[in-house]
Amino acid sequence: MNSKASSVLDDDRVIDPRQFRDILGHFPTGVVAVTAADIEGRPVGMAVGSFTSVSLNPPLVGFLPDKSSSTFPKIRAAKRFCANVLRADQQHVCRNLSRKGDDKFTDVDWAPTPSGMPRILGSLAWIDCEITDVHDAGDHHIVVGRVHHLELDTPESPLIFFQGRYGGFATAEPLE
């Protein structure tokens, strides 16, 4: 097996990357658009399924961009970002921000946050952050951001990625 296509564990077991991805694809993730303004003030962004709350005190969040991303270096240089929680019907925003090139904000309406980062209009919520830490983690970075502003715009169904498909969330009876 090609060493670039697999990972060898300490006990010599090999984890096939395709199997790893397929199995973890059974865990649903929310889709967040991470945006920033580049050094010329133009909006840049990327779609991520790896966004999380890190700490309540201080308020910290995190996301995990791929090290091969051409967009993350622009976000890192901005030293700030806005995490936009996408609605179930905002798949077009996710697709725009997932493609290569500089025209990702074509047909994406946005307005500046208090810090000047692009906030995607119509998203469920937005979280305006300052990058505090970037850690290496395999083929990704772990980016931690300090929350400075946040708002819930509309309490609708979020965009969810599950088994290679996009969808929404149907509510169930609350736990007792």
Side-chain angles (χ1 to χ4, degrees):
M1 184 173 271
N2 183 338
S3 64
K4 290 185 178 182
S6 64
S7 297
V8 178
L9 301 177
D10 290 339
D11 63 3
D12 295 329
R13 286 182 293 154
V14 176
I15 302 296
D16 177 63
R18 184 72 230 173
Q19 180 188 27
F20 184 80
R21 186 177 184 143
D22 289 347
I23 289 174
L24 290 176
H26 288 274
F27 181 71
T29 61
V31 181
V32 173
V34 176
T35 59
D38 70 11
I39 57 173
E40 280 118 29
R42 295 178 304 218
V44 297
M46 61 194 305
V48 300
S50 57
F51 177 78
T52 188
S53 169
V54 173
S55 169
L56 290 174
N57 188 15
L60 301 173
V61 296
F63 70 98
L64 286 75
D66 192 296
K67 286 183 180 176
S68 68
S69 169
S70 59
T71 303
F72 178 64
K74 297 172 186 174
I75 294 170
R76 189 176 195 172
K79 299 180 182 165
R80 300 192 69 84
F81 67 90
C82 182
N84 300 269
V85 181
L86 298 180
R87 285 190 336 251
D89 64 352
Q90 288 183 305
Q91 290 180 34
H92 71 284
V93 174
C94 178
R95 283 185 173 74
N96 276 15
L97 297 183
S98 295
R99 67 180 182 221
K100 301 285 183 198
D102 292 330
D103 59 348
K104 293 181 178 190
F105 279 79
T106 301
D107 300 322
V108 175
D109 295 326
W110 64 276
T113 65
S115 71
M117 297 300 101
R119 172 178 68 93
I120 296 176
L121 299 178
S123 57
L124 292 177
W126 57 272
I127 304 132
D128 196 16
C129 305
E130 173 187 6
I131 294 175
T132 60
D133 296 288
V134 178
H135 304 279
D136 285 334
D139 57 4
H140 282 68
H141 297 291
I142 300 172
V143 180
V144 178
R146 172 78 185 247
V147 177
H148 289 279
H149 303 279
L150 70 164
E151 284 192 28
L152 176 67
D153 283 345
T154 177
E156 295 178 29
S157 179
L159 182 59
I160 295 174
F161 189 71
F162 178 65
Q163 294 182 345
R165 295 184 182 100
Y166 294 102
F169 177 77
T171 59
E173 294 297 316
L175 297 175
E176 293 183 27

mmCIF file of all heavy atoms in Angstrom, residues 20-51:
data_model
loop_
_atom_site.group_PDB
_atom_site.id
_atom_site.type_symbol
_atom_site.label_atom_id
_atom_site.label_comp_id
_atom_site.label_asym_id
_atom_site.label_seq_id
_atom_site.Cartn_x
_atom_site.Cartn_y
_atom_site.Cartn_z
ATOM 1 N N PHE A 20 -11.489 5.740 6.414
ATOM 2 C CA PHE A 20 -11.542 6.733 7.495
ATOM 3 C C PHE A 20 -12.581 7.809 7.168
ATOM 4 O O PHE A 20 -13.449 8.126 7.970
ATOM 5 C CB PHE A 20 -10.145 7.349 7.656
ATOM 6 C CG PHE A 20 -10.006 8.325 8.792
ATOM 7 C CD1 PHE A 20 -9.834 7.880 10.088
ATOM 8 C CD2 PHE A 20 -10.031 9.690 8.548
ATOM 9 C CE1 PHE A 20 -9.685 8.786 11.136
ATOM 10 C CE2 PHE A 20 -9.883 10.594 9.589
ATOM 11 C CZ PHE A 20 -9.712 10.137 10.890
ATOM 12 N N ARG A 21 -12.502 8.344 5.946
ATOM 13 C CA ARG A 21 -13.434 9.394 5.512
ATOM 14 C C ARG A 21 -14.876 8.877 5.453
ATOM 15 O O ARG A 21 -15.803 9.552 5.891
ATOM 16 C CB ARG A 21 -12.987 9.918 4.159
ATOM 17 C CG ARG A 21 -13.783 11.082 3.676
ATOM 18 C CD ARG A 21 -13.234 11.591 2.367
ATOM 19 N NE ARG A 21 -13.965 12.766 1.976
ATOM 20 C CZ ARG A 21 -13.431 13.801 1.386
ATOM 21 N NH1 ARG A 21 -12.156 13.814 1.103
ATOM 22 N NH2 ARG A 21 -14.156 14.834 1.062
ATOM 23 N N ASP A 22 -15.055 7.672 4.907
ATOM 24 C CA ASP A 22 -16.404 7.101 4.798
ATOM 25 C C ASP A 22 -17.035 6.883 6.167
ATOM 26 O O ASP A 22 -18.199 7.194 6.385
ATOM 27 C CB ASP A 22 -16.374 5.780 4.030
ATOM 28 C CG ASP A 22 -16.105 5.957 2.543
ATOM 29 O OD1 ASP A 22 -16.189 7.105 2.040
ATOM 30 O OD2 ASP A 22 -15.801 4.947 1.886
ATOM 31 N N ILE A 23 -16.255 6.341 7.094
ATOM 32 C CA ILE A 23 -16.806 6.070 8.424
ATOM 33 C C ILE A 23 -17.114 7.369 9.164
ATOM 34 O O ILE A 23 -18.186 7.528 9.746
ATOM 35 C CB ILE A 23 -15.873 5.146 9.224
ATOM 36 C CG1 ILE A 23 -15.930 3.742 8.606
ATOM 37 C CG2 ILE A 23 -16.252 5.126 10.710
ATOM 38 C CD1 ILE A 23 -14.961 2.750 9.176
ATOM 39 N N LEU A 24 -16.190 8.339 9.114
ATOM 40 C CA LEU A 24 -16.458 9.606 9.787
ATOM 41 C C LEU A 24 -17.561 10.398 9.100
ATOM 42 O O LEU A 24 -18.162 11.287 9.706
ATOM 43 C CB LEU A 24 -15.179 10.427 9.914
ATOM 44 C CG LEU A 24 -14.172 9.823 10.908
ATOM 45 C CD1 LEU A 24 -12.892 10.627 10.929
ATOM 46 C CD2 LEU A 24 -14.763 9.711 12.287
ATOM 47 N N GLY A 25 -17.860 10.068 7.841
ATOM 48 C CA GLY A 25 -18.980 10.689 7.134
ATOM 49 C C GLY A 25 -20.328 10.353 7.741
ATOM 50 O O GLY A 25 -21.344 10.979 7.412
ATOM 51 N N HIS A 26 -20.360 9.378 8.634
ATOM 52 C CA HIS A 26 -21.602 9.028 9.330
ATOM 53 C C HIS A 26 -21.860 9.939 10.527
ATOM 54 O O HIS A 26 -22.862 9.788 11.219
ATOM 55 C CB HIS A 26 -21.571 7.562 9.768
ATOM 56 C CG HIS A 26 -21.704 6.628 8.614
ATOM 57 N ND1 HIS A 26 -22.909 6.239 8.098
ATOM 58 C CD2 HIS A 26 -20.760 6.045 7.844
ATOM 59 C CE1 HIS A 26 -22.718 5.446 7.069
ATOM 60 N NE2 HIS A 26 -21.411 5.318 6.898
ATOM 61 N N PHE A 27 -20.944 10.856 10.761
ATOM 62 C CA PHE A 27 -21.131 11.849 11.819
ATOM 63 C C PHE A 27 -21.558 13.151 11.146
ATOM 64 O O PHE A 27 -20.802 13.725 10.365
ATOM 65 C CB PHE A 27 -19.829 12.057 12.602
ATOM 66 C CG PHE A 27 -19.963 13.048 13.724
ATOM 67 C CD1 PHE A 27 -20.679 12.740 14.862
ATOM 68 C CD2 PHE A 27 -19.381 14.303 13.616
ATOM 69 C CE1 PHE A 27 -20.802 13.649 15.890
ATOM 70 C CE2 PHE A 27 -19.504 15.223 14.644
ATOM 71 C CZ PHE A 27 -20.221 14.897 15.782
ATOM 72 N N PRO A 28 -22.775 13.629 11.393
ATOM 73 C CA PRO A 28 -23.224 14.862 10.736
ATOM 74 C C PRO A 28 -22.482 16.084 11.273
ATOM 75 O O PRO A 28 -22.147 16.149 12.460
ATOM 76 C CB PRO A 28 -24.712 14.943 11.091
ATOM 77 C CG PRO A 28 -24.847 14.144 12.334
ATOM 78 C CD PRO A 28 -23.778 13.094 12.306
ATOM 79 N N THR A 29 -22.197 17.027 10.376
ATOM 80 C CA THR A 29 -21.546 18.262 10.786
ATOM 81 C C THR A 29 -22.320 19.456 10.260
ATOM 82 O O THR A 29 -22.915 19.402 9.182
ATOM 83 C CB THR A 29 -20.096 18.347 10.259
ATOM 84 O OG1 THR A 29 -20.104 18.309 8.833
ATOM 85 C CG2 THR A 29 -19.257 17.204 10.782
ATOM 86 N N GLY A 30 -22.314 20.513 11.021
ATOM 87 C CA GLY A 30 -22.874 21.765 10.551
ATOM 88 C C GLY A 30 -21.912 22.412 9.575
ATOM 89 O O GLY A 30 -20.724 22.099 9.563
ATOM 90 N N VAL A 31 -22.428 23.293 8.727
ATOM 91 C CA VAL A 31 -21.595 23.956 7.737
ATOM 92 C C VAL A 31 -21.501 25.439 8.087
ATOM 93 O O VAL A 31 -22.517 26.110 8.286
ATOM 94 C CB VAL A 31 -22.144 23.772 6.314
ATOM 95 C CG1 VAL A 31 -21.244 24.451 5.294
ATOM 96 C CG2 VAL A 31 -22.307 22.287 6.001
ATOM 97 N N VAL A 32 -20.272 25.911 8.186
ATOM 98 C CA VAL A 32 -19.996 27.295 8.547
ATOM 99 C C VAL A 32 -19.160 27.928 7.440
ATOM 100 O O VAL A 32 -18.247 27.304 6.915
ATOM 101 C CB VAL A 32 -19.243 27.357 9.900
ATOM 102 C CG1 VAL A 32 -18.787 28.759 10.229
ATOM 103 C CG2 VAL A 32 -20.121 26.812 11.015
ATOM 104 N N ALA A 33 -19.489 29.146 7.094
ATOM 105 C CA ALA A 33 -18.680 29.922 6.157
ATOM 106 C C ALA A 33 -17.752 30.803 6.986
ATOM 107 O O ALA A 33 -18.215 31.652 7.748
ATOM 108 C CB ALA A 33 -19.567 30.771 5.255
ATOM 109 N N VAL A 34 -16.457 30.567 6.867
ATOM 110 C CA VAL A 34 -15.466 31.373 7.572
ATOM 111 C C VAL A 34 -15.003 32.449 6.598
ATOM 112 O O VAL A 34 -14.503 32.147 5.519
ATOM 113 C CB VAL A 34 -14.286 30.519 8.066
ATOM 114 C CG1 VAL A 34 -13.219 31.399 8.710
ATOM 115 C CG2 VAL A 34 -14.770 29.458 9.047
ATOM 116 N N THR A 35 -15.201 33.706 6.975
ATOM 117 C CA THR A 35 -14.907 34.825 6.077
ATOM 118 C C THR A 35 -13.950 35.812 6.734
ATOM 119 O O THR A 35 -13.824 35.864 7.956
ATOM 120 C CB THR A 35 -16.200 35.555 5.694
ATOM 121 O OG1 THR A 35 -16.837 36.041 6.888
ATOM 122 C CG2 THR A 35 -17.162 34.642 4.943
ATOM 123 N N ALA A 36 -13.297 36.600 5.881
ATOM 124 C CA ALA A 36 -12.404 37.661 6.343
ATOM 125 C C ALA A 36 -12.284 38.678 5.214
ATOM 126 O O ALA A 36 -12.802 38.468 4.115
ATOM 127 C CB ALA A 36 -11.034 37.106 6.717
ATOM 128 N N ALA A 37 -11.591 39.760 5.508
ATOM 129 C CA ALA A 37 -11.265 40.752 4.480
ATOM 130 C C ALA A 37 -9.771 40.647 4.221
ATOM 131 O O ALA A 37 -8.975 40.650 5.162
ATOM 132 C CB ALA A 37 -11.643 42.151 4.951
ATOM 133 N N ASP A 38 -9.382 40.527 2.942
ATOM 134 C CA ASP A 38 -7.962 40.417 2.629
ATOM 135 C C ASP A 38 -7.273 41.775 2.797
ATOM 136 O O ASP A 38 -7.909 42.761 3.192
ATOM 137 C CB ASP A 38 -7.734 39.804 1.242
ATOM 138 C CG ASP A 38 -8.139 40.713 0.087
ATOM 139 O OD1 ASP A 38 -8.425 41.919 0.291
ATOM 140 O OD2 ASP A 38 -8.169 40.212 -1.056
ATOM 141 N N ILE A 39 -5.993 41.840 2.499
ATOM 142 C CA ILE A 39 -5.233 43.072 2.752
ATOM 143 C C ILE A 39 -5.723 44.249 1.921
ATOM 144 O O ILE A 39 -5.475 45.389 2.285
ATOM 145 C CB ILE A 39 -3.710 42.857 2.559
ATOM 146 C CG1 ILE A 39 -3.412 42.349 1.158
ATOM 147 C CG2 ILE A 39 -3.161 41.922 3.601
ATOM 148 C CD1 ILE A 39 -1.926 42.285 0.842
ATOM 149 N N GLU A 40 -6.448 43.968 0.822
ATOM 150 C CA GLU A 40 -7.033 45.050 0.025
ATOM 151 C C GLU A 40 -8.477 45.341 0.416
ATOM 152 O O GLU A 40 -9.144 46.161 -0.211
ATOM 153 C CB GLU A 40 -6.947 44.712 -1.469
ATOM 154 C CG GLU A 40 -5.579 44.984 -2.066
ATOM 155 C CD GLU A 40 -4.949 43.693 -2.585
ATOM 156 O OE1 GLU A 40 -5.704 42.796 -2.983
ATOM 157 O OE2 GLU A 40 -3.719 43.603 -2.580
ATOM 158 N N GLY A 41 -8.993 44.628 1.436
ATOM 159 C CA GLY A 41 -10.353 44.855 1.903
ATOM 160 C C GLY A 41 -11.408 44.049 1.173
ATOM 161 O O GLY A 41 -12.596 44.218 1.437
ATOM 162 N N ARG A 42 -10.992 43.149 0.272
ATOM 163 C CA ARG A 42 -11.955 42.310 -0.457
ATOM 164 C C ARG A 42 -12.349 41.113 0.400
ATOM 165 O O ARG A 42 -11.535 40.575 1.149
ATOM 166 C CB ARG A 42 -11.348 41.821 -1.764
ATOM 167 C CG ARG A 42 -11.045 42.921 -2.750
ATOM 168 C CD ARG A 42 -10.412 42.341 -3.985
ATOM 169 N NE ARG A 42 -9.214 41.585 -3.589
ATOM 170 C CZ ARG A 42 -8.087 41.554 -4.266
ATOM 171 N NH1 ARG A 42 -7.979 42.197 -5.391
ATOM 172 N NH2 ARG A 42 -7.057 40.869 -3.825
ATOM 173 N N PRO A 43 -13.608 40.660 0.267
ATOM 174 C CA PRO A 43 -14.037 39.495 1.042
ATOM 175 C C PRO A 43 -13.378 38.212 0.540
ATOM 176 O O PRO A 43 -13.234 38.005 -0.663
ATOM 177 C CB PRO A 43 -15.547 39.457 0.832
ATOM 178 C CG PRO A 43 -15.763 40.123 -0.483
ATOM 179 C CD PRO A 43 -14.684 41.179 -0.580
ATOM 180 N N VAL A 44 -12.946 37.381 1.464
ATOM 181 C CA VAL A 44 -12.435 36.039 1.182
ATOM 182 C C VAL A 44 -13.161 35.085 2.110
ATOM 183 O O VAL A 44 -13.639 35.485 3.184
ATOM 184 C CB VAL A 44 -10.902 35.927 1.372
ATOM 185 C CG1 VAL A 44 -10.175 36.819 0.391
ATOM 186 C CG2 VAL A 44 -10.489 36.247 2.791
ATOM 187 N N GLY A 45 -13.270 33.834 1.713
ATOM 188 C CA GLY A 45 -13.970 32.902 2.579
ATOM 189 C C GLY A 45 -13.819 31.463 2.163
ATOM 190 O O GLY A 45 -13.383 31.158 1.053
ATOM 191 N N MET A 46 -14.194 30.598 3.080
ATOM 192 C CA MET A 46 -14.142 29.161 2.863
ATOM 193 C C MET A 46 -15.264 28.497 3.651
ATOM 194 O O MET A 46 -15.699 29.022 4.679
ATOM 195 C CB MET A 46 -12.776 28.603 3.298
ATOM 196 C CG MET A 46 -12.473 28.819 4.755
ATOM 197 S SD MET A 46 -10.739 28.545 5.239
ATOM 198 C CE MET A 46 -10.435 26.923 4.676
ATOM 199 N N ALA A 47 -15.743 27.374 3.144
ATOM 200 C CA ALA A 47 -16.754 26.595 3.854
ATOM 201 C C ALA A 47 -16.040 25.527 4.670
ATOM 202 O O ALA A 47 -15.110 24.886 4.177
ATOM 203 C CB ALA A 47 -17.720 25.960 2.874
ATOM 204 N N VAL A 48 -16.455 25.364 5.920
ATOM 205 C CA VAL A 48 -15.859 24.338 6.777
ATOM 206 C C VAL A 48 -16.954 23.557 7.496
ATOM 207 O O VAL A 48 -18.023 24.087 7.802
ATOM 208 C CB VAL A 48 -14.866 24.929 7.821
ATOM 209 C CG1 VAL A 48 -13.717 25.646 7.151
ATOM 210 C CG2 VAL A 48 -15.559 25.831 8.809
ATOM 211 N N GLY A 49 -16.672 22.295 7.756
ATOM 212 C CA GLY A 49 -17.567 21.456 8.540
ATOM 213 C C GLY A 49 -16.925 21.104 9.862
ATOM 214 O O GLY A 49 -17.324 20.155 10.519
ATOM 215 N N SER A 50 -15.923 21.863 10.235
ATOM 216 C CA SER A 50 -15.158 21.576 11.453
ATOM 217 C C SER A 50 -15.096 22.827 12.329
ATOM 218 O O SER A 50 -14.028 23.341 12.600
ATOM 219 C CB SER A 50 -13.748 21.130 11.081
ATOM 220 O OG SER A 50 -13.129 22.130 10.288
ATOM 221 N N PHE A 51 -16.245 23.295 12.741
ATOM 222 C CA PHE A 51 -16.336 24.485 13.589
ATOM 223 C C PHE A 51 -16.856 24.043 14.948
ATOM 224 O O PHE A 51 -17.752 23.199 15.029
ATOM 225 C CB PHE A 51 -17.289 25.503 12.963
ATOM 226 C CG PHE A 51 -17.491 26.727 13.809
ATOM 227 C CD1 PHE A 51 -16.533 27.722 13.845
ATOM 228 C CD2 PHE A 51 -18.639 26.872 14.570
ATOM 229 C CE1 PHE A 51 -16.705 28.847 14.628
ATOM 230 C CE2 PHE A 51 -18.820 27.995 15.356
ATOM 231 C CZ PHE A 51 -17.855 28.987 15.383
#
